[in-house]
Amino acid sequence: MTKIAVKVDDLTVAYNYKPVLWDIDLEIPEGVLMAIVGPNGAGKSTLIKSILGILKPIAGSVSIYGKPYEKQRQLVAYVPQKGSVDWDFPTTALDVVMMGTYGSLGWIKRPRQKEKKAALEALEKVGMLAFKNRQISQLSGGQQQRIFLARALVQNASIYFMDEPFQGVDATTEIAIINILKELRKAGKTVIVVHHDLQTVPEYFDWVTFLNVKKIATGPVKDIFNDDNLTKTYGINYKVSIQK
Amino acid sequence: MLGSFAVLRKQSLLGDAISHAALPGIAIAFLITGAKDSNTLLLGALVSGLIGTFWIRSIVKKTHLKSDTALGLILSLFFGFGMLLLTFIQKQPNANQAGLDKYLFGQAATLVESDVWLMAIVTGLCLFVLLLFWKEFKILLFDADYTKTLGFNTKFIDILITSFIVLAIVLGLQTVGVVLMSAMLLAPAAAARQWTNSLSTMVFLAAIFGAFSGVFGTAISASQTNLSTGPVIVLVASVFVFFSFVFSPSRGLLFKQIRFIKNRRDLELHKTLTFMHHIAETHDDISHPHAIKLLNNFQGFTRKTLQKLVKKDYVELQGNMWSLTEIGFETAANLYTKQSTEDE
Ligand SMILES: Nc1ncnc2c1ncn2[C@@H]1O[C@H](COP(=O)(O)OP(=O)(O)O)[C@@H](O)[C@H]1O
Ligand SMILES: [Mg+2]
């Protein structure tokens, strides 16, 4: 039996009284590459933010490898939705990636040579080394996404949460990113990705969670990625033309 | 200097709100102590400024109101209350009351040495805290959610930044006054943003612009008998902003316009040259002359572009005929390959 990396119990979250997530139970085994799918407004981003303690749930708890999230922070890295920050902020690509080291540095201490080296390595991994001194406002959408990914890689975590990393990226970047994710899985890491393109789910992921306010289903893609669950999640009678 | 953070947070109204919120504090402090001692009054301003600010925060958090609305609400509420108190004070038979209105528009001439010392100390303190928590400030401003996942207490950083902005504003009140304080806070930062893409340079420049406006504005107003200091300082700062918006090399309007025109011209030249190249290619001899008329079908062609091409030695003209030179042909060929690779 593999270990459970992330365990969510009875999680309920609301913005101003209207519940957005309802009584979610979820167990994510170690070492999976998991997609979270569901229609817009299903609460996918909210789920990730609640797991990471950015939002405070009304009820429920989250544990990482059996201990509360607060004690296991350093094991977890987060790639927010690209649109959540102001890309006109005056800073460079390298600077943003360096932010990934701030957590282990703690208060006040400045990043030094060692941190810079780690950031440069991460930039190289995502194929952005040539852009290290570029202003972030002058990067394309795909490049900005790679920078975000590099920032998470620097954290050297065991569990990665990514919110729509394929949003608005070109085909080359999509392949580059998925290859990095598969590498992470190979290294035994757990990767959880909010994903929109249902077509690519069987090709990219080995585990999937269907979400629409409630959890519809969770498990191996080959067992549960079917029309029945898709219809339950997306409402309409869903016929996927997905070749398995 | 601290204005940089307010600008980057898109909370430009915050300065306004804080300075207006400080007014009732001044009035109340005066009513309680009955003294005009500026330290006491500023303490009052600080307290009510802080209350106003954090009240705005909680309104935004707990209701659906947008932050601009909440700011406007608090701003008018506190300012109205402050004016009411000031009017009330004015009617009192107290010889001391005169001079309170200097906090409305500011009067640097009334500053005494101890005020200046206080300002210097607080500025030094701000600078120290800024340097100490530089990394935390930067990451919080860029991506607050992410900062939280790294284990930083974002609330603490936030309160720290806000408190220092309030402190800076309250201190500036004596010089610039309630009404123009937010302009003083934001103008140098907005100007600085135009010149640089680095946070540290921006903060540094903003400090310089701010200091210069202060010194220069005070000097001007001191040289004339009837000029209030505050408005003059803000005017000087505004000149910086105007200048920056127009002349900054990367973001300024002027250079953007110049770049735009230059790009368009280059494109026209390139288009014509490429077209000529196409025609010339059909002949073995590149210098074979063609009629200028041939170009007439082509919309990008003008006498002017043709003359420019001649000047660059790309094209030779003979009467009504043109022909490409060797250099012209090569340049055109390169352009062509360059464009098609860029399109990919
Ligand atoms: N800050 C917020 N305040 C109020 N409602 C929100 C907020 N963020 C999201 N919501 C609402 O919560 C629901 C779920 O949002 P979200 O988690 O972003 O969905 P998803 O990521 O699946 O598209 C939506 O109905 C959305 O309108
Ligand atoms: Mg989302």
Side-chain angles (χ1 to χ4, degrees):
Chain A
M1 202 36 229
T2 49
K3 277 190 278 185
I4 297 299
V6 182
K7 190 161 184 291
V8 177
D9 282 308
D10 303 327
L11 188 75
T12 299
V13 185
Y15 298 102
N16 316 302
Y17 313 114
K18 185 186 138 230
V20 175
L21 290 177
W22 188 255
D23 205 15
I24 307 280
D25 287 302
L26 192 62
E27 286 188 355
I28 306 172
E30 180 179 50
V32 297
L33 178 47
M34 181 178 100
I36 301 178
V37 298
N40 285 328
K44 304 180 294 292
S45 301
T46 306
L47 175 62
I48 290 189
K49 285 185 191 172
S50 316
I51 292 175
L52 297 174
I54 297 164
L55 291 171
K56 226 174 145 185
I58 295 178
S61 63
V62 174
S63 64
I64 306 288
Y65 285 116
K67 288 191 200 136
Y69 166 75
E70 288 74 30
K71 296 207 171 124
Q72 304 280 57
R73 246 185 243 283
Q74 72 287 354
L75 297 179
V76 182
Y78 174 44
V79 179
Q81 228 163 324
K82 197 172 64 97
S84 66
V85 303
D86 172 18
W87 288 94
D88 208 25
F89 193 82
T91 190
T92 62
L94 178 61
D95 232 21
V96 171
V97 177
M98 294 269 260
M99 289 178 186
T101 66
Y102 286 10
S104 58
L105 278 171
W107 289 91
I108 296 170
K109 248 168 85 183
R110 299 295 173 96
R112 294 185 187 283
Q113 223 42 46
K114 183 174 133 230
E115 281 77 21
K116 191 171 171 191
K117 207 173 134 240
L120 288 173
E121 274 167 18
L123 272 170
E124 174 146 43
K125 228 179 260 171
V126 299
M128 288 290 293
L129 197 54
F131 297 89
K132 64 178 175 168
N133 293 324
R134 186 73 76 88
Q135 278 299 309
I136 56 169
S137 57
Q138 284 159 15
L139 297 171
S140 74
Q143 291 170 336
Q144 290 173 346
Q145 196 68 66
R146 287 176 193 226
I147 293 297
F148 258 17
L149 182 60
R151 185 177 69 171
L153 290 177
V154 169
Q155 286 178 251
N156 206 3
S158 313
I159 305 173
Y160 292 80
F161 286 93
M162 309 189 179
D163 204 340
E164 303 200 21
F166 301 113
Q167 186 198 42
V169 307
D170 53 75
T172 333
T173 303
E174 178 152 342
I175 294 168
I177 292 179
I178 193 65
N179 284 337
I180 292 171
L181 300 193
K182 284 180 173 168
E183 246 170 62
L184 285 173
R185 177 182 52 188
K186 221 186 266 165
K189 319 265 182 180
T190 310
V191 185
I192 296 124
V193 179
V194 172
H195 194 56
H196 255 303
D197 182 11
L198 294 170
Q199 304 287 334
T200 51
V201 168
E203 184 188 334
Y204 290 173
F205 301 95
D206 55 10
W207 209 264
V208 64
T209 293
F210 291 92
L211 186 77
N212 192 351
V213 184
K214 293 178 183 179
K215 183 193 76 180
I216 314 287
T218 183
V221 171
K222 63 178 186 333
D223 297 342
I224 68 158
F225 194 70
N226 52 38
D227 289 355
D228 186 32
N229 279 327
L230 284 164
T231 306
K232 275 190 202 156
T233 309
Y234 288 85
I236 43 171
N237 195 5
Y238 216 99
K239 283 276 169 277
V240 245
S241 49
I242 292 166
Q243 58 282 45
K244 294 204 175 163
Chain B
M1 177 173 75
L2 284 157
S4 303
F5 294 105
V7 167
L8 287 174
R9 282 188 131 175
K10 313 246 148 97
Q11 282 182 331
S12 335
L13 264 176
L14 183 69
D16 243 338
I18 296 171
S19 52
H20 284 74
L23 194 60
I26 296 174
I28 291 173
F30 176 77
L31 281 176
I32 294 174
T33 62
K36 257 194 324 186
D37 167 40
S38 66
N39 288 346
T40 321
L41 296 184
L42 286 180
L43 197 67
L46 185 63
V47 171
S48 81
L50 280 171
I51 292 175
T53 312
F54 288 101
W55 202 0
I56 292 169
R57 294 260 146 139
S58 67
I59 288 182
V60 173
K61 242 191 185 155
K62 297 207 171 108
T63 68
H64 280 293
L65 287 181
K66 291 230 308 250
S67 68
D68 282 0
T69 323
L71 283 169
L73 202 77
I74 294 298
L75 184 151
S76 33
L77 186 72
F78 274 66
F79 190 59
F81 185 53
M83 285 307 279
L84 196 80
L85 288 175
L86 275 189
T87 327
F88 173 71
I89 291 169
Q90 224 109 78
K91 292 218 175 98
Q92 287 215 322
N94 184 337
N96 266 339
Q97 86 233 12
L100 271 192
D101 48 346
K102 81 177 181 203
Y103 288 100
L104 276 180
F105 289 106
Q107 195 54 267
T110 61
L111 287 178
V112 292
E113 202 185 319
S114 68
D115 295 336
V116 177
W117 273 113
L118 186 65
M119 277 189 202
I121 290 170
V122 173
T123 310
L125 190 70
C126 282
L127 209 62
F128 178 70
V129 173
L130 182 70
L131 286 177
L132 201 62
F133 292 106
W134 180 257
K135 159 172 134 274
E136 285 79 8
F137 285 165
K138 184 164 79 174
I139 189 172
L140 180 80
L141 287 172
F142 178 62
D143 194 345
D145 282 353
Y146 182 73
T147 311
K148 212 167 178 178
T149 69
L150 292 181
F152 289 101
N153 184 341
T154 48
K155 231 184 225 152
F156 174 74
I157 308 175
D158 200 32
I159 290 176
L160 206 61
I161 297 183
T162 312
S163 304
F164 273 99
I165 292 181
V166 174
L167 197 62
I169 287 176
V170 165
L171 273 183
L173 283 182
Q174 268 194 96
T175 340
V176 188
V178 167
V179 179
L180 291 169
M181 187 58 219
S182 79
M184 192 52 224
L185 186 71
L186 300 176
R193 179 70 183 95
Q194 292 297 314
W195 295 100
T196 173
N197 272 323
S198 132
L199 183 61
S200 43
T201 320
M202 172 175 166
V203 172
F204 180 71
L205 272 181
I208 299 222
F209 287 167
F212 187 81
S213 311
V215 172
F216 204 59
T218 312
I220 293 178
S221 93
S223 68
Q224 306 286 323
T225 34
N226 273 326
L227 280 179
S228 290
T229 325
V232 177
I233 292 181
V234 172
L235 215 59
V236 174
S238 310
V239 170
F240 274 113
V241 175
F242 175 77
F243 189 77
S244 306
F245 270 86
V246 175
F247 293 106
S248 136
S250 62
R251 301 180 137 240
L253 296 173
L254 187 68
F255 282 86
K256 251 188 206 154
Q257 192 60 32
I258 289 177
R259 250 200 320 268
F260 178 73
I261 293 173
K262 188 171 175 302
N263 274 346
R264 209 173 48 189
R265 263 203 216 125
D266 281 356
L267 215 65
E268 242 165 51
L269 279 189
H270 290 174
K271 255 159 69 181
T272 314
L273 197 62
T274 318
F275 184 69
M276 291 171 149
H277 176 248
H278 268 303
I279 301 176
E281 247 181 350
T282 58
H283 284 267
D284 292 337
D285 174 20
I286 43 168
S287 55
H288 183 92
H290 301 269
I292 290 181
K293 259 199 294 194
L294 249 176
L295 295 175
N296 281 350
N297 300 334
F298 188 66
Q299 41 158 293
F301 151 74
T302 58
R303 285 261 154 211
K304 231 175 161 182
T305 43
L306 212 56
Q307 266 157 20
K308 256 200 205 125
L309 287 172
V310 173
K311 228 190 240 158
K312 287 193 172 181
D313 266 344
Y314 290 167
V315 174
E316 277 170 19
L317 283 185
Q318 277 155 356
N320 279 339
M321 311 293 271
W322 60 264
S323 60
L324 276 180
T325 64
E326 194 103 12
I327 317 170
F329 188 82
E330 257 167 44
T331 318
N334 282 339
L335 269 180
Y336 202 59
T337 48
K338 209 168 98 195
Q339 257 166 12
S340 51
T341 46
E342 266 172 12
D343 284 346
E344 270 163 25

